[in-house]
Every structure is written in structure tokens, then in C-alpha cells.
Amino acid sequence: QQPVQSPQAVILREGEDAVINCSSSKALYSVHWYRQKHGEAPVFLMILLKGGEQKGHEKISASFNEKKQQSSLYLTASQLSYSGTYFCGTENSDYGQNFVFGPGTRLSVLP
Amino acid sequence: EAEVAQSPRYKITEKSQAVAFWCDPISGHATLYWYRQILGQGPELLVQFQDESVVDDSQLPKDRFSAERLKGVDSTLKIQPAELGDSAMYLCASSLPAGGAYEQYFGPGTRLTVT
């Protein structure tokens, strides 16, 4: 079942902060976050695993509330390069199946 | 830096014709995914391979779509016959073993237009 993302879109000025939320109706094993710029493929940002382990490649933070089946992505001091569509993807088991992307949150950072 | 390769990058075909897409994952990646992405929506998983075996094809329209990864390396996704509603971006991704702990690396995609 597809996770729900909020907000659908957000517009920021450079330097402002943003929070993007992802929630599921099923128990989650992992939550992935990706960013996709217009006309390009999605690029990995972060994985959060059940039990609290967190992996990421960029200076972007995230949280994972297992009880609420929710994850939030925190973008602080946004830069123009942060513009794009952010997708969360969820897995409900550690078998690596049933991976589902959310509908996306469009982020626009203005100068 | 290793990348996922896809071809062709763009394909225009008439409805009822057959079309095929090719994907070469990053060397050593056991898991390969095919996604369909309609403009403005999130990628939709069509099929997932672990080596040469299909582990998830629950969303694959099997009456017209087929996918194979015969030697557990590169993969082909075929549509026959194509329909107008198949116009979309088809993305291939690969990762080390599946299981939630590994990121997916995406190829540049194939933009399909069905006329």
C-alpha cells in the first residue's frame, strides 16, 4: 500500500527550513528517501531502519517513528540545489519485497 | 563511478506495436528493479529480480508486459502490444541484496511515447 506524503508541495526561500512527512498504514521495516530533479532519475538520500539504524550520504537529517509508522525528512538552511521532488519509499518486511514509493513532495527553493 | 545503464533513452512507438527496454545494473548488484513513472507521480514498481529470479511482479500487467534477467546480470522489459496508457518513463534500478538496508541506484530511464 502506497505511503502518504505531506505536504504535496512547499515553496521556500534560501536558508529556510522544511519538513516532509511520510506515513504508512502498515508496520514499517524501512523507509528510504530519494530526491528527483526534473528530467532526471531519483537519487538516494537516506535509509532509516526499524530499530533506529540510519544511513545517509548527505547532510540531511530524518527521523523514524516505528510506533506511528511515520518518517520525517528535515531540510535545514535550504539551498537552491535542494529543489526537486522528494519521495519516500517503504518496505514492510526485511525480505526486501513490496517496496512502494510515495506520491512525492515538490520542493521549490527560491533565491 | 559505476552507473546503471539503460537503452534506448527515448522511444516513440505506435499503439499495438512491440517495444523493449534494456538495463545493465551496476556490477555485483544482485537486485534489479523495473519501475514505471507517470509524470507527476512516484515510481511504481513493476518487477523486482534477485539474481535471475523474480521476487515481486505483483504490479506487472502480465497480459502485455514481460521481463527477464536470464543470467542474473542485465535485464529486458518488453511490452506487447503497447497501448496509449503505457506512455511513461521506465526506470531501472539496482542494489546490493534486497532487504531494506541498501540504497537503489537508478539509471537515466527510457521515455516511452505511444502514439
Side-chain angles (χ1 to χ4, degrees), chain A residues 29-30 32 34 36 41-42 44 47 49 55 57 87 91 94 96-99 101-103, chain B residues 35 37 40-43 45 48 55-56 91 98-108:
Chain A
Y29 171 75
S30 73
H32 299 219
Y34 291 81
Q36 185 176 32
F44 167 78
I47 291 177
L49 301 178
K55 299 181 182 180
H57 296 298
F87 294 100
E91 290 178 296
D94 60 356
Q97 299 179 28
N98 307 121
F99 186 84
F101 275 105
Chain B
Y35 292 93
Q37 186 175 28
Q41 299 182 17
L45 180 65
Q48 177 182 342
V55 297
D56 188 353
L91 294 163
Y102 299 95
E103 61 265 39
Q104 298 180 29
Y105 294 84
F106 283 82

Side-chain angles (χ1 to χ4, degrees), chain B residues 4-6 23-25 32-35 90-94 105-107 109:
Chain B
V4 176
Q6 288 189 248
C23 172
D24 191 12
L32 186 147
Y33 309 80
W34 282 104
Y35 292 93
Y90 290 81
L91 294 163
C92 178
S94 70
Y105 294 84
F106 283 82

